[in-house]
Amino acid sequence: MSSSTTERAAAAPRRKGAVTRERILQVALSEFAEHGYSGGRIERIAAAAGINVRMIYHYFGNKDDLYLASLEATYSTIRERERELDVADLDPATAMQRLVELTFDFLAHDPHFVRLIMSENLMMGQTIQRSQTIPQMTRPLLETMNRILSRGQTSGLFRQDIDAESLYISILGLCFIHVSNRHTLGSMFNRDLADPAWLAARRETVVEAVTRYLKTDPAQSGRSKKGTAGKRRQRPRS
């Protein structure tokens, strides 16, 4: 048997294993998003994935590790979308707008992220604290935001007192609440918060709120310049 044939024969089980692992993970994402960690059942995951329970333990070790893998997978999805967002050649305002729109659209349409994050916060984040990859995945996002902010601040378009982490938390909050609290808010206001027209209007509101916050206040800038000029004109008393 040639070396190439041997390599192909060895690679086939690995490919099959990777496909099986991914199938288990996708089913687990749906299970934990629907039922949370405590309500999620390994037996249901195995049945939906078309495998036996032992295969889950083979690939993931235990329920805790499968749940952690699900959290990491859903974070990986949004981080990958952010990495694919090409904003290097855009002006700072447009670049930040694209990032806000991406975040809004992802949270509005991803079937798992919001519910998994809500479930994990109910457990005080005890599982996500075990993850070493989620903080690492977040660094490129903050680096991108800092580059956009720096360009906007250097050009005088953005305020100088903006922290990237705090800004992202604000963006996430604006894009998150109408999804996480959709049913209660919908009942309060007698409105379907999943209606495409409502979501489109909300998207515009969120983008405008963030971009208005970022921009330097021309009036304030003008007052600062006048104040500086006035001070320069003052002469010391004799």
Side-chain angles (χ1 to χ4, degrees), residues 132-168:
Q132 296 181 354
T133 63
I134 290 175
Q136 292 174 356
M137 287 190 288
T138 305
R139 291 193 189 106
L141 166 66
L142 292 178
E143 291 169 359
T144 296
M145 292 186 68
N146 276 315
R147 285 194 294 269
I148 297 171
L149 288 172
S150 179
R151 289 196 288 121
Q153 290 164 339
T154 300
S155 66
L157 180 65
F158 290 167
R159 296 165 40 180
Q160 298 294 322
D161 59 341
I162 301 174
D163 174 77
E165 289 184 17
S166 180
L167 174 62
Y168 183 70

Coordinates of all heavy atoms in Angstrom, one line a residue, residues 132-168:
Q132 N -10.9 29.1 28.6 CA -9.8 29.9 28.3 C -9.9 30.5 26.8 O -9.2 31.5 26.5 CB -8.5 29.0 28.3 CG -8.2 28.5 29.8 CD -6.9 27.7 29.8 OE1 -6.3 27.4 28.8 NE2 -6.6 27.3 31.0
T133 N -10.7 29.9 26.0 CA -10.8 30.4 24.6 C -11.7 31.6 24.4 O -11.4 32.4 23.6 CB -11.3 29.2 23.7 OG1 -12.6 28.9 24.1 CG2 -10.4 28.0 23.8
I134 N -12.7 31.7 25.3 CA -13.6 32.8 25.1 C -13.0 34.2 25.3 O -13.1 35.1 24.4 CB -14.9 32.7 25.9 CG1 -15.7 31.5 25.4 CG2 -15.7 34.0 26.0 CD1 -17.0 31.2 26.2
P135 N -12.2 34.4 26.3 CA -11.4 35.7 26.4 C -10.5 35.9 25.3 O -10.3 37.0 24.8 CB -10.7 35.5 27.8 CG -11.5 34.5 28.6 CD -12.0 33.6 27.5
Q136 N -9.8 34.8 24.8 CA -8.9 34.9 23.7 C -9.6 35.3 22.4 O -9.1 36.1 21.6 CB -8.1 33.6 23.5 CG -7.2 33.3 24.6 CD -6.6 31.9 24.4 OE1 -6.9 31.1 23.5 NE2 -5.7 31.5 25.3
M137 N -10.8 34.8 22.2 CA -11.6 35.1 21.0 C -12.0 36.5 21.0 O -12.3 37.1 20.0 CB -12.8 34.2 20.9 CG -12.5 32.8 20.5 SD -14.1 31.8 20.1 CE -14.8 31.6 21.8
T138 N -12.1 37.2 22.2 CA -12.7 38.5 22.3 C -11.6 39.6 22.1 O -11.9 40.7 21.7 CB -13.3 38.7 23.8 OG1 -14.2 37.7 24.0 CG2 -13.9 40.1 23.9
R139 N -10.3 39.2 22.2 CA -9.3 40.2 22.0 C -9.3 40.9 20.6 O -9.1 42.1 20.5 CB -7.9 39.6 22.3 CG -7.7 39.2 23.8 CD -6.3 38.9 24.1 NE -6.2 38.4 25.5 CZ -6.0 37.1 25.8 NH1 -5.8 36.2 24.8 NH2 -5.9 36.7 27.0
P140 N -9.4 40.1 19.5 CA -9.5 40.7 18.2 C -10.6 41.7 18.1 O -10.4 42.8 17.4 CB -9.6 39.5 17.2 CG -9.1 38.4 18.0 CD -9.4 38.6 19.4
L141 N -11.7 41.5 18.7 CA -12.8 42.4 18.7 C -12.4 43.8 19.3 O -12.6 44.8 18.7 CB -14.1 41.9 19.4 CG -15.2 42.9 19.7 CD1 -15.8 43.4 18.4 CD2 -16.2 42.3 20.6
L142 N -11.8 43.7 20.5 CA -11.4 44.9 21.2 C -10.3 45.6 20.4 O -10.2 46.9 20.3 CB -10.9 44.6 22.6 CG -12.0 44.1 23.5 CD1 -11.4 43.8 24.9 CD2 -13.1 45.2 23.7
E143 N -9.4 44.9 19.8 CA -8.4 45.5 19.0 C -8.9 46.2 17.8 O -8.5 47.3 17.5 CB -7.4 44.4 18.5 CG -6.5 43.8 19.6 CD -5.7 42.6 19.2 OE1 -5.9 42.2 18.0 OE2 -5.0 42.0 20.0
T144 N -9.9 45.6 17.1 CA -10.6 46.3 16.0 C -11.3 47.6 16.5 O -11.2 48.6 15.8 CB -11.6 45.3 15.4 OG1 -10.9 44.2 14.8 CG2 -12.4 46.0 14.3
M145 N -12.0 47.5 17.6 CA -12.7 48.6 18.1 C -11.8 49.7 18.5 O -12.0 50.9 18.2 CB -13.6 48.3 19.3 CG -14.8 47.4 18.9 SD -15.9 47.0 20.3 CE -16.6 48.7 20.6
N146 N -10.6 49.4 19.1 CA -9.7 50.4 19.5 C -9.0 51.1 18.2 O -8.8 52.3 18.3 CB -8.6 49.8 20.3 CG -9.0 49.7 21.8 OD1 -9.5 50.7 22.4 ND2 -8.7 48.6 22.4
R147 N -8.8 50.3 17.2 CA -8.3 50.9 16.0 C -9.3 51.9 15.4 O -8.9 53.0 14.9 CB -7.9 49.8 14.9 CG -6.6 49.1 15.3 CD -6.2 48.3 14.1 NE -7.1 47.2 13.7 CZ -7.0 46.0 14.2 NH1 -6.1 45.7 15.1 NH2 -7.9 45.1 13.8
I148 N -10.6 51.5 15.3 CA -11.6 52.4 14.8 C -11.7 53.7 15.6 O -11.8 54.8 15.1 CB -13.0 51.7 14.7 CG1 -12.9 50.5 13.8 CG2 -14.1 52.6 14.3 CD1 -14.2 49.6 13.9
L149 N -11.7 53.5 17.0 CA -11.8 54.6 17.9 C -10.6 55.6 17.7 O -10.8 56.8 17.7 CB -11.9 54.1 19.3 CG -13.3 53.5 19.7 CD1 -13.2 52.9 21.1 CD2 -14.4 54.5 19.7
S150 N -9.4 55.0 17.6 CA -8.2 55.8 17.5 C -8.3 56.6 16.2 O -7.9 57.8 16.2 CB -7.0 54.9 17.5 OG -5.8 55.6 17.3
R151 N -8.7 56.0 15.1 CA -8.8 56.8 13.8 C -9.8 57.9 14.0 O -9.6 59.0 13.5 CB -9.2 55.8 12.7 CG -8.1 54.9 12.3 CD -8.3 54.3 10.9 NE -9.4 53.3 10.9 CZ -10.5 53.3 10.2 NH1 -10.7 54.4 9.4 NH2 -11.4 52.4 10.2
G152 N -11.0 57.6 14.6 CA -12.0 58.6 14.8 C -11.6 59.7 15.7 O -11.9 60.9 15.5
Q153 N -10.8 59.4 16.7 CA -10.3 60.4 17.7 C -9.2 61.3 17.1 O -9.2 62.5 17.2 CB -9.9 59.7 19.0 CG -11.0 59.1 19.8 CD -10.5 58.1 20.8 OE1 -9.4 57.6 20.7 NE2 -11.4 57.9 21.8
T154 N -8.3 60.6 16.3 CA -7.3 61.4 15.6 C -7.8 62.4 14.6 O -7.3 63.5 14.5 CB -6.3 60.4 14.9 OG1 -5.7 59.5 15.9 CG2 -5.2 61.1 14.2
S155 N -8.9 62.0 14.0 CA -9.5 62.9 13.0 C -10.4 63.9 13.6 O -10.9 64.8 12.9 CB -10.3 62.1 11.9 OG -11.4 61.5 12.6
G156 N -10.6 63.8 14.9 CA -11.5 64.8 15.5 C -13.0 64.4 15.4 O -13.8 65.2 15.9
L157 N -13.3 63.3 14.9 CA -14.7 62.9 14.7 C -15.3 62.3 15.9 O -16.5 62.5 16.3 CB -14.8 61.8 13.5 CG -16.2 61.3 13.2 CD1 -17.0 62.4 12.6 CD2 -16.1 60.2 12.2
F158 N -14.5 61.5 16.7 CA -15.0 60.9 17.9 C -14.5 61.6 19.2 O -13.4 62.2 19.2 CB -14.5 59.4 18.0 CG -15.2 58.5 17.0 CD1 -14.6 57.2 16.7 CD2 -16.3 58.9 16.2 CE1 -15.2 56.4 15.8 CE2 -16.9 58.0 15.3 CZ -16.3 56.8 15.1
R159 N -15.3 61.4 20.2 CA -14.8 61.9 21.5 C -13.6 61.2 22.0 O -13.3 60.1 21.6 CB -16.0 61.7 22.5 CG -17.2 62.5 22.3 CD -18.4 61.9 23.1 NE -18.0 61.5 24.4 CZ -18.9 61.0 25.3 NH1 -20.1 60.8 25.0 NH2 -18.5 60.7 26.5
Q160 N -12.8 61.8 22.9 CA -11.6 61.2 23.4 C -11.8 60.3 24.6 O -10.9 59.5 24.9 CB -10.6 62.4 23.8 CG -10.2 63.3 22.6 CD -9.4 62.6 21.6 OE1 -8.6 61.7 21.9 NE2 -9.6 62.9 20.3
D161 N -12.9 60.4 25.2 CA -13.1 59.7 26.5 C -13.9 58.4 26.4 O -14.8 58.1 27.2 CB -13.8 60.6 27.5 CG -15.2 61.1 27.0 OD1 -15.4 61.0 25.8 OD2 -16.0 61.5 27.8
I162 N -13.6 57.6 25.3 CA -14.4 56.4 25.0 C -13.5 55.2 25.3 O -12.4 55.1 24.8 CB -14.9 56.4 23.6 CG1 -15.8 57.6 23.3 CG2 -15.7 55.1 23.3 CD1 -16.3 57.8 21.9
D163 N -14.0 54.3 26.1 CA -13.4 53.0 26.4 C -14.0 51.9 25.5 O -15.2 51.8 25.5 CB -13.5 52.7 27.9 CG -12.9 51.3 28.2 OD1 -11.7 51.2 28.2 OD2 -13.7 50.4 28.4
A164 N -13.2 51.1 24.8 CA -13.7 50.1 23.9 C -14.6 49.1 24.6 O -15.6 48.7 24.1 CB -12.6 49.4 23.2
E165 N -14.1 48.6 25.8 CA -14.9 47.6 26.5 C -16.3 48.1 26.9 O -17.3 47.5 26.7 CB -14.1 47.1 27.7 CG -12.9 46.3 27.4 CD -12.3 45.7 28.7 OE1 -12.9 45.8 29.8 OE2 -11.1 45.3 28.6
S166 N -16.3 49.3 27.5 CA -17.5 49.9 27.9 C -18.5 50.2 26.8 O -19.7 50.0 26.8 CB -17.3 51.3 28.7 OG -18.5 51.9 29.1
L167 N -17.9 50.6 25.6 CA -18.7 50.9 24.4 C -19.3 49.6 23.9 O -20.5 49.6 23.6 CB -17.8 51.5 23.3 CG -18.5 51.7 22.0 CD1 -19.7 52.7 22.1 CD2 -17.5 52.2 20.9
Y168 N -18.6 48.5 23.9 CA -19.1 47.3 23.4 C -20.2 46.8 24.3 O -21.3 46.2 23.9 CB -18.1 46.2 23.3 CG -18.6 44.9 22.7 CD1 -19.0 44.9 21.4 CD2 -18.8 43.8 23.5 CE1 -19.6 43.7 20.8 CE2 -19.4 42.6 22.9 CZ -19.7 42.6 21.6 OH -20.3 41.5 21.1

